[in-house]
Amino acid sequence: MTPTTLTPGTRLGAFEILSSLGEGGMGAVYRAHDAKLHRDVAIKVLLPAVANDPDRLARFRREAQLLASLNHPNIAAIYGLEESEGTLALVMELVEGPTLADRIAQGPLPLDAVLPIAQQMAEALEAAHEQGIIHRDLKPANIKVRPDGVVKVLDFGLAKAMDPAGASSDHAMNSPTISLHATQAGMILGTAAYMSPEQASGKPVDKRSDLWAFGVVLLEMLSGRRVFDGETVSHVLAAVLTKEPDWTTLPATTPAPVRKLLRRCLEKDRRKRLADAADARLEIDDALTAPAADPSPAGAAASTASARGTRLAWVVAAVAVLGAAALTVPAVRHLREAPPAETRVDIVTPAGGDPLAFALSPDGRQLVFVAAGDGASRLWLRSLSTTTAQPLPGTDGARYPFWAPDSRAVAFFADGQLKRLDLGGGAPRALAAAPSGRGGSWNADGVLLFAPNIVGPLFRVAAAGGDAAPVTTLDRQTSHRFPVFLPDGRHFLFYAQGGPDTGGIHLGALDAGAPTRLTAADTAATYLPSEALREGGWLLWTRAGTLVAQCLDLARRALTGDPVPLADAVASDGSFRSAVAVSATGLVAYRGGRASRRQLTWVDRTGKVLGTLGAPDEHTLVSPRVAPDGRRVAVSRIVQGNEDLWLLDGARTSRLTFDAGADHVPIWSPDGRRLVFDSDRTGVHDLYGKDASGAGVEARLVASAQPKIATDWSADGRFLLYDSLDPQTGGDLWAQEMDPSTGAARAGRAPGTVLRTPFTEGWGRFSPDGRWVAYQSNASGRPEIYVRPWTLPAAAGAAAPAPTAQWQVSTAGGITPVWRADGQALYYLGPDGALMAAPVTTRGTALEPGTPVALFPTRIVGGGGDGNQGRQYDVTRDGRFLINTVLDDAAATPITLILNWRPDAKK
């Protein structure tokens, strides 16, 4: 969750916001003016996770009171807590000047600057430790040096103040830098490069952890280099746990007391580490008066020899303690470089958007994810070496991101297209049509494999764009989706939606043979390479909500061994996708939660809840449609991987279709006696009719080579409007003439085109008087709502009729329109998921759209993205709204990184 966003001029009690100072794991920080005391202060707006939790808030108040009692010239003061209109903020001393991180970024600091800074840091630690307060996140970014040379340590003790209520006071806790997740391996906190070994391995912390961080900061000031560094968080933590600092980076003139102090602070065994900040202060006092070290070659050699002697003594001691007199040098090296313990780190992302859409870069350094924050849903990019994320311009409405193999570009789906964005600069470029994309993958040969539609096979396209060509062939299956290239760039995994004997995870190849079905599964899979598994790697997917891994033997094209569980309650959705990502470096990421649980909720025009329909649905519930009588509701439900139509009538829920194929998106006939839906039971989504009473059999109404989705039935019963999905041109509007008396397709009348353009049109709706058709289109570059006069469809093969005019109704994006019962307004979803209303006035053959207004925000399934989730709401004739509401918001759950997971050891 993200903190409240404040703009300049906003008032928070007696404080006026002047400007933003930055953002971190605890919240956003602003410069503000105190109108009562006429001074500038720093305002830190706390995360909603704290402000909205009574227990955590009470604990935070108690801890903040304790921290406010600290009174030391080298500790930034806490003035108090401010609450205003639901926003909770911490009021702190405003410290001018650069952070120590800014100064180190320019290179090593001279010794005469380092020692006074270190002395004041030590004095700050000493004063706090005497009060029983531990910093827990000491690092250069939390230390400021004022222009007058005074050092101020920031955020003292706030790691503990942010701790969830009830946690043990002597264990590691949530940090203002990295929020972490308790696991069997324990809990860790802080910034990885400054963690003590006990923090990195999830053990209890005390003031000696602060002294370790003090030593790291001191060494970085002198050397101008990171002490513990690596390509990924996993590598950094491994370095903290297993590697010694590079003492050769110290300047030759470093005084002996400082060298001694550094070694005592950076003892991995905290029983041997410096125990008190007062001792550090005394050592620095000695250094300030001690002669400089001998800068001559002989002096440097002596210093190096001394360091080597210390390392040799350590090795000898280790061998003696272990009773390993016969150990060889390589064996001792192996002991010192033992792999670090498995740990799990939580990453909090901005709210909104699609919480299941995230991907780790192949090099393990970056995370891209979909979120809304304070605007439209879009892509965000976060380096794993920082605590902040940035939205990527030009990616509004993005879904299903995936990385280029060199980690320099990201591909995603938006506006009915597959796009790529080069992170080095430039706007996103369209590569291929993808009306309703469902995942993709990118190999080192510049081939992108992707699913352009919710139904149909996988396609390939060059990374530079061009013609897309099919790669797979449906075999009694609805769709192939979520492909994942294996490291060889030739084989790939994908998910096939189909019956019990054809659906599940498959293994295919670009240039050979039919795919092999590996296993039935609830979701698609991803692949984790393994050096230990010579013939393959690990397949990761969710099974009944549990993330599991199983060996994939590529030579045998089969899974071997038993599945290994990694995490419980991992989020998934009705697209057969789970919230799981991996990198080639071995990082695994997942998001917990039950993102598929939904509740049909009745609300009025203001958003006030009027009631619910049915119980919270543990199965995937989609596409609710209210019958003309305003009482019955038809929905699609996915139970045990199979999608069928169900009918909700008061307290009664009954199943309407029973075919092994996928039946979804029901449409009522005007008299409420029949339903039309699409089904893939013959291998392609055709349109079928069914009596709403459940009697009789389903009859196929419209058949063609292209997948279809019914969207509306005209009030006079004469025409059925539907989307026809074409991977090359996107979605088009078609219509079938119907027999109002029987509800069947009129004999001898073939379907015809209503609107066919190079863009993606869909979700068409007849106006109540039958004169107009509203629909969504990406002709402007993003989904918007348009209206055209209704004209009879053109015969198959003929050009679509050209209406005399069209009008754009939405002004800032919109999807899935629905007419008001009197035809004088259109409802639709805005990009942020709000339910919008736009007045419509007709005069003869002209239509005048009015200014859209937001009626109320929703927690609707799919949000307000690009309509790939379909229409998840409906409106009754008396003006009530039925919203398919998400109950368990996975976006409120952090993404968890699994570091140092060694599946081979668990095999």
Side-chain angles (χ1 to χ4, degrees):
M1 302 179 71
T2 56
T4 302
T5 300
L6 303 179
T7 56
T10 301
R11 297 198 66 86
L12 194 63
F15 304 95
E16 180 182 355
I17 301 301
L18 301 178
S19 62
S20 173
L21 295 177
E23 188 171 321
M26 270 193 62
V29 185
Y30 300 89
R31 186 187 191 103
H33 182 70
D34 184 344
K36 291 182 178 179
L37 300 179
H38 302 289
R39 63 179 176 180
D40 284 357
V41 297
I43 294 280
K44 177 165 284 188
V45 180
L46 300 181
L47 290 172
V50 176
N52 297 334
D53 186 326
D55 292 334
R56 291 191 70 184
L57 182 56
R59 179 180 176 84
F60 185 88
R61 290 181 187 279
R62 293 193 298 270
E63 295 296 340
Q65 291 170 0
L66 176 61
L67 299 176
S69 68
L70 283 177
N71 183 15
H72 191 274
N74 298 120
I75 298 176
I78 293 179
Y79 296 148
L81 284 172
E82 181 71 21
E83 294 181 76
S84 178
E85 297 181 356
T87 298
L88 179 67
L90 197 64
V91 183
M92 304 178 296
E93 176 184 359
L94 178 66
V95 183
E96 306 287 0
T99 68
L100 192 54
D102 297 329
R103 298 188 62 169
I104 294 175
Q106 299 174 11
L109 277 65
L111 184 65
D112 59 356
V114 167
L115 294 182
I117 293 173
Q119 185 181 48
Q120 294 177 74
M121 288 168 50
E123 290 175 354
L125 290 175
E126 182 181 2
H129 290 174
E130 287 177 353
Q131 299 294 323
I133 298 173
I134 308 169
H135 195 292
R136 291 173 166 82
D137 195 28
L138 189 67
K139 58 185 177 182
N142 277 340
I143 301 166
K144 278 202 166 190
V145 184
R146 292 193 328 200
D148 61 2
V150 174
V151 171
K152 290 282 188 176
V153 180
L154 312 178
D155 283 358
F156 226 116
L158 289 182
K160 184 177 182 181
M162 293 294 287
D163 176 42
S168 175
S169 61
D170 64 346
H171 280 69
M173 305 169 191
N174 289 340
S175 162
T177 299
I178 302 177
S179 174
L180 302 165
H181 182 62
T183 69
Q184 292 180 348
M187 299 177 70
I188 60 178
L189 71 111
T191 305
Y194 304 93
M195 288 181 183
S196 63
E198 58 269 20
Q199 283 176 291
S201 56
K203 296 178 181 178
V205 300
D206 57 26
K207 62 184 180 180
R208 290 171 292 183
S209 294
D210 280 352
L211 290 167
W212 168 280
F214 171 83
V216 175
V217 173
L218 177 55
L219 183 50
E220 287 192 5
M221 284 194 289
L222 290 165
S223 65
R225 296 171 56 182
R226 276 286 182 95
V227 179
F228 300 105
D229 206 353
E231 294 182 356
T232 66
V233 174
S234 179
H235 289 94
V236 174
L237 291 177
V240 170
L241 290 165
T242 65
K243 293 184 179 180
E244 290 295 308
D246 184 357
W247 300 112
T248 64
T249 61
L250 276 174
T253 56
T254 305
V258 174
R259 292 180 181 274
K260 177 183 176 183
L261 174 62
L262 285 169
R263 291 187 181 278
R264 293 189 66 193
C265 286
L266 297 178
E267 278 281 359
K268 294 189 186 298
D269 185 347
R270 62 177 165 181
R271 294 172 299 178
K272 301 178 182 179
R273 193 181 307 151
L274 192 72
D276 201 292
D279 294 335
R281 176 178 53 79
L282 292 174
E283 293 282 5
I284 296 170
D285 289 343
D286 289 344
L288 285 168
T289 58
D294 184 359
S296 66
S303 177
T304 302
S306 174
R308 288 174 178 167
T310 301
R311 286 195 290 271
L312 179 59
W314 184 91
V315 173
V316 172
V319 173
V321 171
L322 293 171
L327 285 177
T328 63
V329 172
V332 174
R333 184 181 300 115
H334 174 72
L335 285 174
R336 295 186 61 195
E337 297 178 358
E342 176 186 318
T343 53
R344 304 192 178 202
V345 181
D346 284 351
I347 296 179
V348 178
T349 61
D354 181 359
L356 274 65
F358 60 88
L360 288 166
S361 62
D363 62 11
R365 296 184 177 184
Q366 300 179 93
L367 175 73
V368 65
F369 57 90
V370 174
D374 58 353
S377 178
R378 72 198 82 173
L379 291 183
W380 293 63
L381 183 67
R382 171 171 168 165
S383 168
L384 295 183
S385 64
T386 67
T387 61
T388 59
Q390 300 297 327
L392 295 177
T395 63
D396 286 9
R399 301 181 68 86
Y400 307 115
F402 57 97
W403 285 88
D406 62 4
S407 301
R408 296 179 180 177
V410 175
F412 59 94
F413 298 89
D415 306 325
Q417 297 173 317
L418 171 65
K419 299 183 177 183
R420 67 174 284 177
L421 175 65
D422 294 303
L423 299 181
R429 293 187 287 141
L431 301 181
S436 301
R438 287 297 186 271
S441 189
W442 193 335
N443 73 8
D445 297 325
V447 174
L448 278 73
L449 189 63
F450 68 105
N453 266 316
I454 57 174
V455 294
L458 299 177
F459 280 67
R460 63 181 290 174
V461 70
D467 294 334
V471 174
T472 59
T473 302
L474 299 178
D475 179 16
R476 294 181 297 131
Q477 300 157 346
T478 305
S479 72
H480 295 164
R481 55 182 64 184
F482 303 119
V484 174
F485 271 118
L486 272 54
D488 64 5
R490 173 175 167 263
H491 291 90
F492 57 88
L493 303 168
F494 66 94
Y495 188 87
Q497 183 181 3
D501 59 337
T502 62
I505 301 167
H506 289 63
L507 175 65
L510 287 178
D511 52 5
T516 300
R517 184 172 184 254
L518 297 175
T519 181
D522 298 338
T523 67
T526 189
Y527 180 82
L528 190 67
S530 171
E531 295 181 0
L533 302 178
R534 297 181 179 179
E535 300 300 329
W538 291 87
L539 198 72
L540 276 69
W541 79 101
T542 58
R543 185 173 62 183
T546 297
L547 176 60
V548 298
Q550 192 169 1
C551 300
L552 172 60
D553 188 326
L554 284 176
R556 296 169 53 189
R557 300 176 69 87
L559 298 178
T560 62
D562 296 324
V564 177
L566 282 80
D568 294 325
V570 175
S572 61
D573 67 6
S575 296
F576 307 99
R577 171 186 55 150
S578 58
V580 179
V582 301
S583 77
T585 62
L587 278 180
V588 178
Y590 69 90
R591 197 194 289 269
R594 299 160 60 188
S596 63
R597 202 166 67 118
R598 291 103 188 261
Q599 172 69 68
L600 293 178
T601 305
W602 291 106
V603 300
D604 66 11
R605 185 181 174 85
T606 68
K608 178 183 177 182
V609 175
L610 303 175
T612 59
L613 181 63
D617 204 297
E618 298 292 340
H619 303 288
T620 301
L621 181 72
V622 293
S623 305
R625 298 294 185 268
V626 182
D629 60 18
R631 178 175 51 85
R632 296 169 296 163
V633 174
V635 297
S636 304
R637 294 179 78 213
I638 301 176
V639 181
Q640 296 180 344
N642 191 55
E643 187 169 7
D644 287 290
L645 299 190
W646 293 67
L647 190 65
L648 285 72
D649 189 354
R652 183 172 181 267
T653 301
S654 58
R655 186 174 173 179
L656 282 179
T657 63
F658 298 86
D659 193 87
D663 306 334
H664 73 309
V665 188
I667 296 296
W668 289 93
S669 63
D671 59 10
R673 296 172 52 191
R674 294 182 61 79
L675 286 161
V676 170
F677 59 95
D678 65 273
S679 176
D680 68 344
R681 57 190 64 185
T682 61
V684 64
H685 275 261
D686 287 331
L687 302 184
Y688 291 77
K690 172 90 174 185
D691 194 286
S693 68
V697 297
E698 295 94 29
R700 185 158 62 173
L701 304 177
V702 180
S704 68
Q706 303 297 341
K708 294 161 289 295
I709 298 174
T711 60
D712 202 12
W713 202 327
S714 62
D716 59 9
R718 290 188 54 202
F719 290 96
L720 183 68
L721 193 62
Y722 66 92
D723 297 348
S724 179
L725 305 178
D726 188 325
Q728 300 300 322
T729 64
D732 304 310
L733 300 185
W734 286 64
Q736 168 66 53
E737 191 170 354
M738 306 291 289
D739 185 337
S741 62
T742 64
R746 186 174 291 278
R749 302 294 177 90
T753 53
V754 175
L755 181 61
R756 182 179 177 86
T757 75
F759 308 106
T760 299
E761 283 83 27
W763 303 107
R765 294 280 295 182
F766 288 110
S767 61
D769 61 7
R771 297 178 54 207
W772 315 91
V773 173
Y775 58 96
Q776 75 178 55
S777 172
N778 65 353
S780 69
R782 66 180 177 186
E784 298 280 6
I785 304 301
Y786 296 86
V787 174
R788 286 176 177 248
W790 162 249
T791 56
L792 294 177
T804 57
Q806 72 171 15
W807 296 267
Q808 181 176 326
V809 175
S810 60
T811 58
I815 61 172
T816 59
V818 176
W819 290 88
R820 198 168 72 187
D822 60 6
Q824 296 181 17
L826 271 168
Y827 302 113
Y828 62 92
L829 283 180
D832 59 355
L835 206 293
M836 307 292 294
V840 173
T841 303
T842 60
R843 291 184 175 87
T845 59
L847 182 142
E848 297 179 6
T851 302
V853 296
L855 298 183
F856 54 86
T858 69
R859 287 171 52 85
I860 198 166
V861 171
D866 56 6
N868 281 348
Q869 294 290 321
R871 181 160 63 85
Q872 300 301 323
Y873 75 100
D874 207 355
V875 188
T876 64
R877 291 176 177 174
D878 60 7
R880 291 173 296 138
F881 296 85
L882 183 65
I883 309 293
N884 191 13
T885 306
V886 175
L887 288 184
D888 306 292
D889 188 2
T893 305
I895 295 173
T896 300
L897 286 179
I898 305 179
L899 312 175
N900 311 316
W901 184 63
R902 298 188 301 280
D904 309 313
K906 305 180 183 186
K907 181 181 172 183

